[in-house]
Amino acid sequence: MLVDDILENNRRFIREYQAQPLPPPETIPLAVVACYDPRLDALVHRALGLLPGEAFVLRTAGALVQPQGGVMRSLMLAVFMFGVRHILVVGHTSCRMAAFDTAAFIDAFRSRGVPREAFGPGDLRSWAGAIPGVREGVLLSIASIRGTPCLPRDVSVGGAILDDTSGRLEVVVQPAEPVPSPKEAVAPPAVEPPPTVEPEERPPPEAPEAKDELVQAVRTLGRILSSTKGFRPALGRVRNQLERSTNPLEHIDILEKQARAVGAESADILAAFQHLRREVAQRRGRPEWKEVIQLLRELTRP
Ligand SMILES: [Zn+2]
């Protein structure tokens, strides 16, 4: 719709509208965070039984509340300035942010002349606020809200999923309930640099099944990468770098960079990288730390 159409609509509107100032602001006890999907416009208020003006309904892609951002700012202002005491995060079943296609996003901005660098050096999926799943997205948002130091203790934070076909609301986290940790795939990658000195006290050797998990994580990634078009040839460009590196986390970074360079940025691939990175980071200072390098080299052998 063009702006001219809107202005024409508005001219028609004011002919009928009885001019009146807004009522004075009042205390509003509830804030709802829902997805910005326009298909939900008619549904959210009705499904939650809310009259217009009865709650702050904040709409944002994927209903994702990040620790720093406009939605958090609005929520905290609503808490302190308008008496919000309850916050409810509402994800919805067919949320497109849970199926965010990073490759399509990249194609879209490149084809409009915007370079990758415009989005900063960080992860594109984080930039976009892609969620690994509807339930996980709700859990992440609740964790962000409960985790902000600005949140007073007397404010409850809960979460639910709206079935956008049936209209049914399913509670994911009751306001008083602790937040279950979102499944492994959504945990942030371990980013701490490796220590430059060996720790003095070596932790006890690991149980065999724990090591199996590491091998499993390497194999899973290997399987995904071997079916990724263009990844093998791309490895040739970093072969020397991989041979020189003795830090498994650096190895993983190099592999991920190459995977991204050939557009392999699906949720599965990124989750496999994150999972492996976490498995590896846990083994810092253990004997397996060095073995991981061998496993990774096998993975990338020509
Ligand atoms: Zn959505």
PDB file of all heavy atoms in Angstrom, residues 145-178:
ATOM      1  N   ILE A 145      14.743 -12.184  29.758  1.00  0.00           N
ATOM      2  CA  ILE A 145      13.995 -11.225  30.597  1.00  0.00           C
ATOM      3  C   ILE A 145      14.320 -11.464  32.070  1.00  0.00           C
ATOM      4  O   ILE A 145      14.600 -10.538  32.823  1.00  0.00           O
ATOM      5  CB  ILE A 145      12.472 -11.351  30.359  1.00  0.00           C
ATOM      6  CG1 ILE A 145      12.137 -11.070  28.900  1.00  0.00           C
ATOM      7  CG2 ILE A 145      11.716 -10.378  31.261  1.00  0.00           C
ATOM      8  CD1 ILE A 145      10.734 -11.479  28.494  1.00  0.00           C
ATOM      9  N   ARG A 146      14.286 -12.744  32.459  1.00  0.00           N
ATOM     10  CA  ARG A 146      14.577 -13.027  33.874  1.00  0.00           C
ATOM     11  C   ARG A 146      16.029 -12.710  34.211  1.00  0.00           C
ATOM     12  O   ARG A 146      16.372 -12.464  35.357  1.00  0.00           O
ATOM     13  CB  ARG A 146      14.289 -14.503  34.184  1.00  0.00           C
ATOM     14  CG  ARG A 146      12.800 -14.812  34.217  1.00  0.00           C
ATOM     15  CD  ARG A 146      12.574 -16.176  34.817  1.00  0.00           C
ATOM     16  NE  ARG A 146      11.181 -16.566  34.778  1.00  0.00           N
ATOM     17  CZ  ARG A 146      10.751 -17.789  35.058  1.00  0.00           C
ATOM     18  NH1 ARG A 146      11.620 -18.729  35.399  1.00  0.00           N
ATOM     19  NH2 ARG A 146       9.472 -18.078  35.008  1.00  0.00           N
ATOM     20  N   GLY A 147      16.873 -12.737  33.176  1.00  0.00           N
ATOM     21  CA  GLY A 147      18.298 -12.533  33.419  1.00  0.00           C
ATOM     22  C   GLY A 147      18.717 -11.070  33.464  1.00  0.00           C
ATOM     23  O   GLY A 147      19.844 -10.759  33.829  1.00  0.00           O
ATOM     24  N   THR A 148      17.811 -10.157  33.076  1.00  0.00           N
ATOM     25  CA  THR A 148      18.265  -8.763  33.078  1.00  0.00           C
ATOM     26  C   THR A 148      18.300  -8.231  34.516  1.00  0.00           C
ATOM     27  O   THR A 148      17.365  -8.442  35.283  1.00  0.00           O
ATOM     28  CB  THR A 148      17.373  -7.851  32.190  1.00  0.00           C
ATOM     29  OG1 THR A 148      17.851  -6.510  32.330  1.00  0.00           O
ATOM     30  CG2 THR A 148      15.917  -7.871  32.593  1.00  0.00           C
ATOM     31  N   PRO A 149      19.376  -7.538  34.845  1.00  0.00           N
ATOM     32  CA  PRO A 149      19.465  -7.000  36.209  1.00  0.00           C
ATOM     33  C   PRO A 149      18.426  -5.908  36.473  1.00  0.00           C
ATOM     34  O   PRO A 149      18.186  -5.553  37.610  1.00  0.00           O
ATOM     35  CB  PRO A 149      20.896  -6.428  36.276  1.00  0.00           C
ATOM     36  CG  PRO A 149      21.365  -6.322  34.868  1.00  0.00           C
ATOM     37  CD  PRO A 149      20.600  -7.299  34.054  1.00  0.00           C
ATOM     38  N   CYS A 150      17.764  -5.423  35.395  1.00  0.00           N
ATOM     39  CA  CYS A 150      16.760  -4.360  35.584  1.00  0.00           C
ATOM     40  C   CYS A 150      15.435  -4.912  36.111  1.00  0.00           C
ATOM     41  O   CYS A 150      14.570  -4.146  36.523  1.00  0.00           O
ATOM     42  CB  CYS A 150      16.456  -3.660  34.257  1.00  0.00           C
ATOM     43  SG  CYS A 150      17.882  -3.052  33.408  1.00  0.00           S
ATOM     44  N   LEU A 151      15.234  -6.211  36.026  1.00  0.00           N
ATOM     45  CA  LEU A 151      13.918  -6.769  36.365  1.00  0.00           C
ATOM     46  C   LEU A 151      13.717  -6.818  37.879  1.00  0.00           C
ATOM     47  O   LEU A 151      14.459  -7.495  38.583  1.00  0.00           O
ATOM     48  CB  LEU A 151      13.793  -8.187  35.788  1.00  0.00           C
ATOM     49  CG  LEU A 151      12.394  -8.812  35.924  1.00  0.00           C
ATOM     50  CD1 LEU A 151      11.459  -8.236  34.877  1.00  0.00           C
ATOM     51  CD2 LEU A 151      12.462 -10.324  35.821  1.00  0.00           C
ATOM     52  N   PRO A 152      12.694  -6.100  38.382  1.00  0.00           N
ATOM     53  CA  PRO A 152      12.442  -6.208  39.826  1.00  0.00           C
ATOM     54  C   PRO A 152      11.858  -7.580  40.180  1.00  0.00           C
ATOM     55  O   PRO A 152      11.249  -8.234  39.333  1.00  0.00           O
ATOM     56  CB  PRO A 152      11.424  -5.089  40.083  1.00  0.00           C
ATOM     57  CG  PRO A 152      10.849  -4.729  38.776  1.00  0.00           C
ATOM     58  CD  PRO A 152      11.778  -5.189  37.694  1.00  0.00           C
ATOM     59  N   ARG A 153      12.040  -7.977  41.430  1.00  0.00           N
ATOM     60  CA  ARG A 153      11.628  -9.315  41.865  1.00  0.00           C
ATOM     61  C   ARG A 153      10.122  -9.536  41.836  1.00  0.00           C
ATOM     62  O   ARG A 153       9.670 -10.678  41.807  1.00  0.00           O
ATOM     63  CB  ARG A 153      12.098  -9.542  43.309  1.00  0.00           C
ATOM     64  CG  ARG A 153      13.564  -9.809  43.424  1.00  0.00           C
ATOM     65  CD  ARG A 153      14.003  -9.661  44.874  1.00  0.00           C
ATOM     66  NE  ARG A 153      15.415  -9.915  44.995  1.00  0.00           N
ATOM     67  CZ  ARG A 153      15.928 -11.125  45.215  1.00  0.00           C
ATOM     68  NH1 ARG A 153      15.146 -12.154  45.356  1.00  0.00           N
ATOM     69  NH2 ARG A 153      17.228 -11.299  45.293  1.00  0.00           N
ATOM     70  N   ASP A 154       9.361  -8.446  41.884  1.00  0.00           N
ATOM     71  CA  ASP A 154       7.906  -8.631  41.965  1.00  0.00           C
ATOM     72  C   ASP A 154       7.240  -8.770  40.598  1.00  0.00           C
ATOM     73  O   ASP A 154       6.030  -8.720  40.488  1.00  0.00           O
ATOM     74  CB  ASP A 154       7.286  -7.470  42.757  1.00  0.00           C
ATOM     75  CG  ASP A 154       7.617  -6.119  42.129  1.00  0.00           C
ATOM     76  OD1 ASP A 154       8.266  -6.094  41.062  1.00  0.00           O
ATOM     77  OD2 ASP A 154       7.229  -5.083  42.698  1.00  0.00           O
ATOM     78  N   VAL A 155       8.030  -8.928  39.553  1.00  0.00           N
ATOM     79  CA  VAL A 155       7.438  -9.106  38.219  1.00  0.00           C
ATOM     80  C   VAL A 155       7.564 -10.573  37.812  1.00  0.00           C
ATOM     81  O   VAL A 155       8.645 -11.155  37.879  1.00  0.00           O
ATOM     82  CB  VAL A 155       8.130  -8.203  37.179  1.00  0.00           C
ATOM     83  CG1 VAL A 155       7.623  -8.501  35.775  1.00  0.00           C
ATOM     84  CG2 VAL A 155       7.910  -6.739  37.521  1.00  0.00           C
ATOM     85  N   SER A 156       6.454 -11.169  37.409  1.00  0.00           N
ATOM     86  CA  SER A 156       6.489 -12.574  36.987  1.00  0.00           C
ATOM     87  C   SER A 156       6.703 -12.650  35.476  1.00  0.00           C
ATOM     88  O   SER A 156       6.258 -11.776  34.728  1.00  0.00           O
ATOM     89  CB  SER A 156       5.183 -13.265  37.369  1.00  0.00           C
ATOM     90  OG  SER A 156       4.157 -12.887  36.474  1.00  0.00           O
ATOM     91  N   VAL A 157       7.397 -13.701  35.061  1.00  0.00           N
ATOM     92  CA  VAL A 157       7.659 -13.884  33.625  1.00  0.00           C
ATOM     93  C   VAL A 157       7.311 -15.325  33.252  1.00  0.00           C
ATOM     94  O   VAL A 157       7.853 -16.263  33.832  1.00  0.00           O
ATOM     95  CB  VAL A 157       9.148 -13.625  33.284  1.00  0.00           C
ATOM     96  CG1 VAL A 157       9.372 -13.712  31.781  1.00  0.00           C
ATOM     97  CG2 VAL A 157       9.609 -12.278  33.804  1.00  0.00           C
ATOM     98  N   GLY A 158       6.400 -15.482  32.334  1.00  0.00           N
ATOM     99  CA  GLY A 158       6.007 -16.823  31.890  1.00  0.00           C
ATOM    100  C   GLY A 158       6.012 -16.898  30.376  1.00  0.00           C
ATOM    101  O   GLY A 158       6.296 -15.910  29.685  1.00  0.00           O
ATOM    102  N   GLY A 159       5.732 -18.087  29.865  1.00  0.00           N
ATOM    103  CA  GLY A 159       5.743 -18.241  28.414  1.00  0.00           C
ATOM    104  C   GLY A 159       4.730 -19.263  27.940  1.00  0.00           C
ATOM    105  O   GLY A 159       4.349 -20.177  28.673  1.00  0.00           O
ATOM    106  N   ALA A 160       4.277 -19.081  26.704  1.00  0.00           N
ATOM    107  CA  ALA A 160       3.281 -19.984  26.145  1.00  0.00           C
ATOM    108  C   ALA A 160       3.473 -20.066  24.638  1.00  0.00           C
ATOM    109  O   ALA A 160       4.179 -19.255  24.048  1.00  0.00           O
ATOM    110  CB  ALA A 160       1.880 -19.464  26.471  1.00  0.00           C
ATOM    111  N   ILE A 161       2.851 -21.093  24.063  1.00  0.00           N
ATOM    112  CA  ILE A 161       2.849 -21.208  22.603  1.00  0.00           C
ATOM    113  C   ILE A 161       1.402 -21.149  22.127  1.00  0.00           C
ATOM    114  O   ILE A 161       0.541 -21.861  22.660  1.00  0.00           O
ATOM    115  CB  ILE A 161       3.501 -22.536  22.156  1.00  0.00           C
ATOM    116  CG1 ILE A 161       4.986 -22.538  22.525  1.00  0.00           C
ATOM    117  CG2 ILE A 161       3.332 -22.734  20.648  1.00  0.00           C
ATOM    118  CD1 ILE A 161       5.664 -23.874  22.267  1.00  0.00           C
ATOM    119  N   LEU A 162       1.166 -20.291  21.144  1.00  0.00           N
ATOM    120  CA  LEU A 162      -0.171 -20.177  20.570  1.00  0.00           C
ATOM    121  C   LEU A 162      -0.246 -21.075  19.338  1.00  0.00           C
ATOM    122  O   LEU A 162       0.553 -20.918  18.410  1.00  0.00           O
ATOM    123  CB  LEU A 162      -0.430 -18.713  20.181  1.00  0.00           C
ATOM    124  CG  LEU A 162      -1.733 -18.405  19.459  1.00  0.00           C
ATOM    125  CD1 LEU A 162      -2.942 -18.706  20.324  1.00  0.00           C
ATOM    126  CD2 LEU A 162      -1.751 -16.939  19.006  1.00  0.00           C
ATOM    127  N   ASP A 163      -1.175 -22.032  19.379  1.00  0.00           N
ATOM    128  CA  ASP A 163      -1.415 -22.836  18.180  1.00  0.00           C
ATOM    129  C   ASP A 163      -2.188 -21.931  17.228  1.00  0.00           C
ATOM    130  O   ASP A 163      -3.358 -21.618  17.470  1.00  0.00           O
ATOM    131  CB  ASP A 163      -2.221 -24.084  18.541  1.00  0.00           C
ATOM    132  CG  ASP A 163      -2.452 -24.974  17.328  1.00  0.00           C
ATOM    133  OD1 ASP A 163      -2.653 -24.429  16.216  1.00  0.00           O
ATOM    134  OD2 ASP A 163      -2.434 -26.204  17.479  1.00  0.00           O
ATOM    135  N   ASP A 164      -1.515 -21.485  16.144  1.00  0.00           N
ATOM    136  CA  ASP A 164      -2.151 -20.464  15.313  1.00  0.00           C
ATOM    137  C   ASP A 164      -3.171 -21.046  14.339  1.00  0.00           C
ATOM    138  O   ASP A 164      -3.767 -20.320  13.543  1.00  0.00           O
ATOM    139  CB  ASP A 164      -1.098 -19.587  14.608  1.00  0.00           C
ATOM    140  CG  ASP A 164      -0.004 -20.387  13.945  1.00  0.00           C
ATOM    141  OD1 ASP A 164      -0.318 -21.448  13.377  1.00  0.00           O
ATOM    142  OD2 ASP A 164       1.170 -19.965  13.994  1.00  0.00           O
ATOM    143  N   THR A 165      -3.393 -22.360  14.414  1.00  0.00           N
ATOM    144  CA  THR A 165      -4.502 -22.949  13.662  1.00  0.00           C
ATOM    145  C   THR A 165      -5.734 -23.048  14.549  1.00  0.00           C
ATOM    146  O   THR A 165      -6.803 -22.536  14.215  1.00  0.00           O
ATOM    147  CB  THR A 165      -4.125 -24.356  13.160  1.00  0.00           C
ATOM    148  OG1 THR A 165      -2.961 -24.252  12.355  1.00  0.00           O
ATOM    149  CG2 THR A 165      -5.255 -24.972  12.351  1.00  0.00           C
ATOM    150  N   SER A 166      -5.563 -23.678  15.720  1.00  0.00           N
ATOM    151  CA  SER A 166      -6.723 -23.890  16.590  1.00  0.00           C
ATOM    152  C   SER A 166      -6.970 -22.711  17.528  1.00  0.00           C
ATOM    153  O   SER A 166      -8.048 -22.583  18.101  1.00  0.00           O
ATOM    154  CB  SER A 166      -6.515 -25.155  17.423  1.00  0.00           C
ATOM    155  OG  SER A 166      -5.491 -24.931  18.385  1.00  0.00           O
ATOM    156  N   GLY A 167      -5.956 -21.877  17.720  1.00  0.00           N
ATOM    157  CA  GLY A 167      -6.097 -20.763  18.655  1.00  0.00           C
ATOM    158  C   GLY A 167      -5.813 -21.152  20.098  1.00  0.00           C
ATOM    159  O   GLY A 167      -5.892 -20.324  21.003  1.00  0.00           O
ATOM    160  N   ARG A 168      -5.458 -22.412  20.318  1.00  0.00           N
ATOM    161  CA  ARG A 168      -5.240 -22.900  21.687  1.00  0.00           C
ATOM    162  C   ARG A 168      -3.881 -22.424  22.214  1.00  0.00           C
ATOM    163  O   ARG A 168      -2.886 -22.420  21.483  1.00  0.00           O
ATOM    164  CB  ARG A 168      -5.280 -24.434  21.672  1.00  0.00           C
ATOM    165  CG  ARG A 168      -5.216 -25.055  23.036  1.00  0.00           C
ATOM    166  CD  ARG A 168      -5.519 -26.549  22.946  1.00  0.00           C
ATOM    167  NE  ARG A 168      -5.329 -27.141  24.262  1.00  0.00           N
ATOM    168  CZ  ARG A 168      -4.145 -27.545  24.710  1.00  0.00           C
ATOM    169  NH1 ARG A 168      -3.079 -27.455  23.953  1.00  0.00           N
ATOM    170  NH2 ARG A 168      -4.039 -28.040  25.925  1.00  0.00           N
ATOM    171  N   LEU A 169      -3.884 -22.050  23.489  1.00  0.00           N
ATOM    172  CA  LEU A 169      -2.659 -21.561  24.114  1.00  0.00           C
ATOM    173  C   LEU A 169      -2.106 -22.653  25.029  1.00  0.00           C
ATOM    174  O   LEU A 169      -2.811 -23.161  25.892  1.00  0.00           O
ATOM    175  CB  LEU A 169      -2.985 -20.304  24.931  1.00  0.00           C
ATOM    176  CG  LEU A 169      -1.836 -19.365  25.267  1.00  0.00           C
ATOM    177  CD1 LEU A 169      -1.235 -18.764  24.015  1.00  0.00           C
ATOM    178  CD2 LEU A 169      -2.342 -18.259  26.191  1.00  0.00           C
ATOM    179  N   GLU A 170      -0.829 -23.001  24.833  1.00  0.00           N
ATOM    180  CA  GLU A 170      -0.212 -24.022  25.695  1.00  0.00           C
ATOM    181  C   GLU A 170       0.880 -23.349  26.530  1.00  0.00           C
ATOM    182  O   GLU A 170       1.756 -22.674  25.985  1.00  0.00           O
ATOM    183  CB  GLU A 170       0.416 -25.118  24.815  1.00  0.00           C
ATOM    184  CG  GLU A 170       1.109 -26.199  25.606  1.00  0.00           C
ATOM    185  CD  GLU A 170       2.299 -26.792  24.841  1.00  0.00           C
ATOM    186  OE1 GLU A 170       2.397 -26.583  23.609  1.00  0.00           O
ATOM    187  OE2 GLU A 170       3.139 -27.439  25.493  1.00  0.00           O
ATOM    188  N   VAL A 171       0.791 -23.535  27.835  1.00  0.00           N
ATOM    189  CA  VAL A 171       1.785 -22.905  28.699  1.00  0.00           C
ATOM    190  C   VAL A 171       3.111 -23.663  28.594  1.00  0.00           C
ATOM    191  O   VAL A 171       3.149 -24.882  28.651  1.00  0.00           O
ATOM    192  CB  VAL A 171       1.308 -22.882  30.162  1.00  0.00           C
ATOM    193  CG1 VAL A 171       2.419 -22.401  31.086  1.00  0.00           C
ATOM    194  CG2 VAL A 171       0.088 -21.977  30.295  1.00  0.00           C
ATOM    195  N   VAL A 172       4.192 -22.942  28.360  1.00  0.00           N
ATOM    196  CA  VAL A 172       5.523 -23.556  28.294  1.00  0.00           C
ATOM    197  C   VAL A 172       6.223 -23.397  29.641  1.00  0.00           C
ATOM    198  O   VAL A 172       6.839 -24.318  30.155  1.00  0.00           O
ATOM    199  CB  VAL A 172       6.371 -22.884  27.184  1.00  0.00           C
ATOM    200  CG1 VAL A 172       7.794 -23.395  27.201  1.00  0.00           C
ATOM    201  CG2 VAL A 172       5.744 -23.127  25.824  1.00  0.00           C
ATOM    202  N   VAL A 173       6.132 -22.202  30.197  1.00  0.00           N
ATOM    203  CA  VAL A 173       6.716 -21.951  31.519  1.00  0.00           C
ATOM    204  C   VAL A 173       5.715 -21.142  32.333  1.00  0.00           C
ATOM    205  O   VAL A 173       5.295 -20.057  31.917  1.00  0.00           O
ATOM    206  CB  VAL A 173       8.037 -21.155  31.408  1.00  0.00           C
ATOM    207  CG1 VAL A 173       8.591 -20.836  32.791  1.00  0.00           C
ATOM    208  CG2 VAL A 173       9.071 -21.934  30.613  1.00  0.00           C
ATOM    209  N   GLN A 174       5.295 -21.708  33.463  1.00  0.00           N
ATOM    210  CA  GLN A 174       4.450 -20.953  34.388  1.00  0.00           C
ATOM    211  C   GLN A 174       5.291 -19.816  34.960  1.00  0.00           C
ATOM    212  O   GLN A 174       6.502 -19.985  35.136  1.00  0.00           O
ATOM    213  CB  GLN A 174       4.002 -21.858  35.534  1.00  0.00           C
ATOM    214  CG  GLN A 174       3.056 -22.958  35.122  1.00  0.00           C
ATOM    215  CD  GLN A 174       1.629 -22.473  34.938  1.00  0.00           C
ATOM    216  OE1 GLN A 174       1.336 -21.283  35.130  1.00  0.00           O
ATOM    217  NE2 GLN A 174       0.762 -23.376  34.542  1.00  0.00           N
ATOM    218  N   PRO A 175       4.664 -18.699  35.274  1.00  0.00           N
ATOM    219  CA  PRO A 175       5.451 -17.559  35.765  1.00  0.00           C
ATOM    220  C   PRO A 175       6.372 -17.895  36.936  1.00  0.00           C
ATOM    221  O   PRO A 175       7.465 -17.355  37.028  1.00  0.00           O
ATOM    222  CB  PRO A 175       4.369 -16.563  36.186  1.00  0.00           C
ATOM    223  CG  PRO A 175       3.204 -16.888  35.307  1.00  0.00           C
ATOM    224  CD  PRO A 175       3.246 -18.369  35.087  1.00  0.00           C
ATOM    225  N   ALA A 176       5.957 -18.834  37.803  1.00  0.00           N
ATOM    226  CA  ALA A 176       6.789 -19.089  38.983  1.00  0.00           C
ATOM    227  C   ALA A 176       7.817 -20.198  38.754  1.00  0.00           C
ATOM    228  O   ALA A 176       8.675 -20.442  39.589  1.00  0.00           O
ATOM    229  CB  ALA A 176       5.898 -19.461  40.150  1.00  0.00           C
ATOM    230  N   GLU A 177       7.691 -20.860  37.622  1.00  0.00           N
ATOM    231  CA  GLU A 177       8.518 -22.040  37.330  1.00  0.00           C
ATOM    232  C   GLU A 177       9.936 -21.635  36.899  1.00  0.00           C
ATOM    233  O   GLU A 177      10.097 -20.636  36.194  1.00  0.00           O
ATOM    234  CB  GLU A 177       7.870 -22.733  36.127  1.00  0.00           C
ATOM    235  CG  GLU A 177       7.811 -24.219  36.140  1.00  0.00           C
ATOM    236  CD  GLU A 177       7.120 -24.669  34.851  1.00  0.00           C
ATOM    237  OE1 GLU A 177       6.058 -24.125  34.489  1.00  0.00           O
ATOM    238  OE2 GLU A 177       7.675 -25.548  34.201  1.00  0.00           O
ATOM    239  N   PRO A 178      10.951 -22.398  37.290  1.00  0.00           N
ATOM    240  CA  PRO A 178      12.277 -22.108  36.715  1.00  0.00           C
ATOM    241  C   PRO A 178      12.282 -22.436  35.224  1.00  0.00           C
ATOM    242  O   PRO A 178      11.499 -23.276  34.768  1.00  0.00           O
ATOM    243  CB  PRO A 178      13.219 -23.043  37.482  1.00  0.00           C
ATOM    244  CG  PRO A 178      12.349 -24.063  38.128  1.00  0.00           C
ATOM    245  CD  PRO A 178      10.958 -23.513  38.221  1.00  0.00           C
TER     246      PRO A 178
END
